[in-house]
C-alpha cells in the first residue's frame, strides 16, 4: 500500500509538485462523481419510467433511494473521518462507488435498482463530509470560500452537465436501455480518481488535532501553506457540538443547508421531472436541464470573484430572496411555456448557485472545530440529502395534481433560508481564520 505523505520524511520533487498542484482538485473531484451520479437519476428516469412502467410512487422511491443512502453514509462516515482521518475514508469510498455503479447497470427488477442506488448513496456519503472537511482544512482564509465552496460545486455541476450530455448522446444509440449506460459509466472516473488519490496526504489540521505536529508540518510544507497561528490540539467530545453557542451554529447551518437544498432541487435533480410535466418531450427536457446546469456552473465561477471579498451573510440574504422571486415567476409563467419561463428558470438556477448553493458548503465546515468537523458537516449534509429526497419523492405526485405551480411552494424554502441567515450574524465569516470562524457569534470579523 502507498504510504500517506505525512508518513514519509521526504519525497521526490516531482511527487511534491504533484501533491501541491493536484491535492485540492483530486479531493474536490469526488463532487464531480457525486454530481454525476446523484443528478444522472433525473435524466435516467426519463428512460426508467417507461422501461419498468413505474408509477409516480415508484419514481419517487427510486429517485430518493440514493439520497437516503447518502444521508446514512454522511452520519456514519463523517464521524469516522474525525476518528481515523480524512484520507483513509475518501480512499475506500470510491471502491464501494465503483461496485455499486456497475451493479445498478445490470439490475433486472425495480427493488434491485433501489438497493443498488441506496448502496451507491452510502458510498457518496462516505466522501462528502470527508472531502468537505479536508478542503476547508487546507484552504488559506483568503481563499476558503473558493476552495471549500466554489471548487467542489464547480466539480458537482460539471458531473451534472456530463450526465445530461451523455444522456443526449447515448439515447439515439441505446434507446430504452440508455439508463444502464448512464449508471455503469460512472464507475470509470471513480476508478481513475481512486488510483490518483493514493498519492494524497492526510489533512494537516487533522494531524495537528491528533497531536502529530511534525507530520502536520511536513504536509504544510509540501502543500506550500503557512500553518494557522491559532491552531491548537483538540480532544474529541461530542458535547462540544451542543455546548455554549455551538448548538446554535449546528442548528443554523443544518437548517440553512437542508431548506435551501429542498428548494434548490427544483433546478437540479427534480428539474427533469418538473419540466417534463409540461409535455415538451424527452430531448427538450434534457436540453432544459442542461441549461440549468450550465447556468449554475457559470454562476459558481462568477461567484468566485466575490465570495472571499464581500460579506457572505448579506450575499446569502439577497440571493435567497432573489431565488424566491424567480420561483414565483416560474409558477406564474409555466402554464404557457415561453420566454418568460426560460428567463425565470435561468434566474432561479443562477441565483441558487451564486449564493446559497455554495455558501451552505462553506458555512457547514466553518461552524465546527477540527475534531468534530466531519461529524458536524455530516449532520448538516445528512439533513440536506433527506430534504432533497423529500423533494424528489413528492415532486411526481405534486406535479400530477398541481402542475408546475408547485415550484412556488418549493421556492418558499428560500424565503425561510433568508430569514435564517438574517438571524445568524456569525455567518459573516469572510476573511476569518478557520479556527476562529466556529467561535464567531457577533458577526464581526475576528482579527487573527
Amino acid at each position: 500500500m502507498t504510504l500517506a505523505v505525512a508518513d514519509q520524511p521526504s519525497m521526490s520533487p516531482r511527487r511534491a509538485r504533484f501533491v501541491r498542484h493536484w491535492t485540492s482538485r483530486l479531493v474536490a473531484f469526488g463532487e464531480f462523481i457525486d454530481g454525476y451520479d446523484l443528478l444522472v437519476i433525473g435524466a435516467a428516469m426519463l428512460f426508467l419510467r417507461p422501461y419498468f412502467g413505474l408509477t409516480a410512487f415508484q419514481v419517487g422511491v427510486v429517485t430518493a433511494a440514493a439520497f437516503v443512502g447518502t444521508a446514512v453514509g454522511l452520519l456514519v462516515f463523517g464521524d469516522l473521518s474525525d476518528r481515523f482521518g480524512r484520507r483513509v475514508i475518501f480512499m475506500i469510498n470510491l471502491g464501494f462507488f465503483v461496485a455499486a455503479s456497475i451493479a445498478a447497470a445490470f439490475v433486472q427488477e425495480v427493488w434491485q435498482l433501489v438497493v443498488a442506488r441506496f448502496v451507491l448513496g452510502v458510498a457518496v456519503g462516505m466522501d462528502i463530509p470527508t472531502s468537505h472537511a479536508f478542503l476547508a482544512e487546507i484552504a488559506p482564509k483568503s481563499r476558503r470560500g473558493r476552495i471549500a465552496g466554489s471548487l467542489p460545486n464547480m466539480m458537482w455541476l460539471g458531473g451534472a452537465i456530463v450526465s445530461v450530455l451523455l444522456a443526449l448522446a447515448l439515447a439515439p444509440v441505446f434507446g430504452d436501455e440508455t439508463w444502464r449506460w448512464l449508471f455503469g459509466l460512472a464507475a470509470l472516473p471513480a476508478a481513475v480518481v481512486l488510483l490518483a488519490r493514493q498519492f494524497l496526504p492526510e489533512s494537516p489540521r487533522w494531524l495537528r488535532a491528533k497531536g502529530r505536529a511534525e507530520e502536520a508540518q511536513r504536509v504544510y510544507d509540501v502543500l506550500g501553506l503557512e500553518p494557522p497561528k491559532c491552531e491548537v490540539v483538540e480532544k474529541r467530545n461530542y458535547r462540544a457540538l451542543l455546548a455554549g453557542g455551538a448548538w446554535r451554529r449546528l442548528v443554523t447551518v443544518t437548517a440553512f443547508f437542508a431548506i435551501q437544498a429542498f428548494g434548490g432541487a427544483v433546478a437540479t435533480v427534480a428539474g427533469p421531472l418538473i419540466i417534463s410535466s409540461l409535455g415538451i418531450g424527452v430531448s427538450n427536457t434534457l436540453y432544459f436541464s442542461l441549461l440549468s446546469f450550465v447556468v449554475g456552473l457559470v454562476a459558481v465561477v462568477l461567484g468566485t470573484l466575490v465570495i472571499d471579498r464581500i460579506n457572505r451573510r448579506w450575499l446569502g440574504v439577497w440571493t435567497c430572496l432573489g431565488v424566491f422571486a424567480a420561483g414565483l415567476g416560474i409558477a406564474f409563467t409555466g402554464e404557457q411555456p415561453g420566454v418568460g419561463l426560460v428567463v425565470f428558470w435561468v434566474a432561479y438556477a443562477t441565483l441558487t448557485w451564486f449564493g446559497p448553493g455554495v455558501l451552505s458548503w462553506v458555512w457547514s465546515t466553518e461552524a465546527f472545530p477540527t475534531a468534530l468537523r466531519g461529524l458536524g458537516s455530516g449532520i448538516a449534509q445528512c439533513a440536506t440529502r433527506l430534504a432533497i429526497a423529500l423533494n424528489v419523492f413528492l415532486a411526481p405526485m405534486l406535479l400530477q395534481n398541481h402542475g408546475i405551480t408547485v415550484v412556488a411552494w418549493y421556492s418558499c424554502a428560500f424565503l425561510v433560508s433568508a430569514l435564517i441567515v438574517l438571524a445568524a450574524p456569525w455567518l459573516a465569516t469572510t476573511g476569518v481564520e478557520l479556527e476562529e470562524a466556529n467561535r464567531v457569534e457577533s458577526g464581526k470579523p475576528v482579527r487573527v
Side-chain angles (χ1 to χ4, degrees), residues 409-427:
W409 308 349
Y410 282 129
S411 69
C412 290
F414 286 96
L415 182 59
V416 176
S417 297
L419 295 175
I420 291 173
V421 178
L422 277 174
W426 73 269
L427 292 176

Side-chain angles (χ1 to χ4, degrees), residues 27-28 30-31 90 126-136 197 361:
V27 172
E31 299 313 315
F90 70 51
M126 293 183 193
D127 189 82
I128 293 173
T130 309
S131 58
H132 195 187
F134 189 101
L135 288 171
R197 280 183 174 182
W361 282 72

Side-chain angles (χ1 to χ4, degrees), residues 46 168 272 275-289:
L46 299 175
L168 287 167
I275 295 301
S276 65
S277 70
L278 299 175
I280 63 175
V282 172
S283 294
N284 287 331
T285 296
L286 288 173
Y287 281 120
F288 220 102
S289 297

Side-chain angles (χ1 to χ4, degrees), residues 32-94:
F32 176 93
I33 298 168
D34 175 24
Y36 175 91
D37 208 80
L38 292 185
L39 271 295
V40 78
I41 190 64
M45 191 55 67
L46 299 175
F47 306 95
L48 280 166
R49 195 168 194 168
Y51 187 91
F52 286 111
L54 300 179
T55 65
F57 176 80
Q58 288 174 317
V59 170
V61 171
V62 172
T63 306
F67 293 98
V68 176
T70 302
V72 174
L74 283 161
L75 281 183
V76 174
F77 290 94
D79 185 36
L80 293 180
S81 74
D82 289 331
R83 289 176 176 272
F84 303 113
R86 317 303 188 202
R87 184 178 182 274
V88 65
I89 301 300
F90 70 51
M91 287 291 296
I92 66 174
N93 81 290
L94 290 178

Side-chain angles (χ1 to χ4, degrees), residues 373-392:
R373 186 166 292 119
L375 177 59
S377 173
I379 291 172
Q381 288 266 10
C382 174
T384 298
R385 299 305 165 124
L386 291 175
I388 297 173
L390 179 62
N391 178 306
V392 297

Side-chain angles (χ1 to χ4, degrees), residues 43-405:
M45 191 55 67
L46 299 175
F47 306 95
L48 280 166
R49 195 168 194 168
Y51 187 91
F52 286 111
L54 300 179
T55 65
F57 176 80
Q58 288 174 317
V59 170
V61 171
V62 172
T63 306
F67 293 98
V68 176
T70 302
V72 174
L74 283 161
L75 281 183
V76 174
F77 290 94
D79 185 36
L80 293 180
S81 74
D82 289 331
R83 289 176 176 272
F84 303 113
R86 317 303 188 202
R87 184 178 182 274
V88 65
I89 301 300
F90 70 51
M91 287 291 296
I92 66 174
N93 81 290
L94 290 178
F96 284 92
F97 187 94
V98 170
S101 296
I102 294 173
F106 289 96
V107 299
Q108 299 299 321
E109 303 287 343
V110 174
W111 71 267
Q112 295 171 350
L113 180 59
V114 171
V115 172
R117 294 290 297 171
F118 176 84
V119 173
L120 189 143
V122 173
V124 170
M126 293 183 193
D127 189 82
I128 293 173
T130 309
S131 58
H132 195 187
F134 189 101
L135 288 171
E137 289 165 0
I138 65 170
K141 63 182 181 181
S142 62
R143 292 187 288 129
R144 190 167 61 245
R146 280 170 281 174
I147 293 176
S150 301
L151 178 59
N153 277 283
M154 282 189 278
M155 293 287 189
W156 197 86
L157 283 162
I161 290 170
V162 169
S163 73
V164 178
L165 289 175
L166 275 178
L168 287 167
L170 295 174
V173 180
F174 299 104
D176 290 344
E177 297 278 349
T178 298
W179 61 273
R180 295 190 186 275
W181 290 89
L182 290 174
F183 291 151
L185 287 173
L188 295 179
V192 172
V193 175
L194 174 61
L195 294 175
R197 280 183 174 182
Q198 299 282 335
F199 300 98
L200 299 188
E202 179 57 88
S203 161
R205 276 185 164 94
W206 183 85
L207 290 169
R208 182 72 179 180
K210 293 295 183 180
R212 296 157 64 177
E214 292 183 5
E215 295 174 63
Q217 186 59 54
R218 285 203 295 272
V219 177
Y220 279 125
D221 292 341
V222 169
L223 296 177
L225 299 173
E226 288 290 332
K229 297 178 182 178
C230 57
E231 194 172 43
V232 296
V233 176
E234 301 169 338
K235 293 182 179 180
R236 280 178 53 80
N237 185 345
Y238 292 123
R239 288 179 294 180
L241 286 177
L242 302 175
W247 70 269
R248 287 192 292 271
R249 293 191 292 274
L250 177 63
V251 171
T252 296
V253 298
T254 299
F256 177 79
F257 210 153
I259 293 171
Q260 68 83 28
F262 178 80
V266 165
T268 54
V269 67
L273 291 173
I274 292 171
I275 295 301
S276 65
S277 70
L278 299 175
I280 63 175
V282 172
S283 294
N284 287 331
T285 296
L286 288 173
Y287 281 120
F288 220 102
S289 297
L290 181 61
L291 173 66
S292 297
F293 298 141
V294 171
V295 166
L297 181 58
V298 172
V300 174
V301 172
L302 291 176
T304 63
L305 303 176
V306 300
I307 194 169
D308 291 310
R309 295 175 181 270
I310 66 175
N311 187 305
R312 291 180 191 142
R313 180 177 174 232
W314 289 111
L315 176 63
V317 170
W318 290 114
T319 51
C320 282
L321 292 176
V323 180
F324 169 64
L328 296 181
I330 292 173
F332 289 121
T333 60
E335 293 293 338
Q336 296 180 336
V339 175
L341 174 62
V342 175
V343 170
F344 284 117
W345 192 275
V346 168
Y348 197 101
T350 299
L351 293 172
T352 295
W353 290 107
F354 191 80
V358 172
L359 291 171
S360 54
W361 282 72
V362 181
W363 286 333
S364 61
T365 54
E366 293 176 332
F368 310 108
T370 299
L372 293 170
R373 186 166 292 119
L375 177 59
S377 173
I379 291 172
Q381 288 266 10
C382 174
T384 298
R385 299 305 165 124
L386 291 175
I388 297 173
L390 179 62
N391 178 306
V392 297
F393 176 75
L394 293 175
M397 293 173 281
L398 291 175
L399 288 166
Q400 187 171 289
N401 295 318
H402 303 285
I404 200 168
T405 57

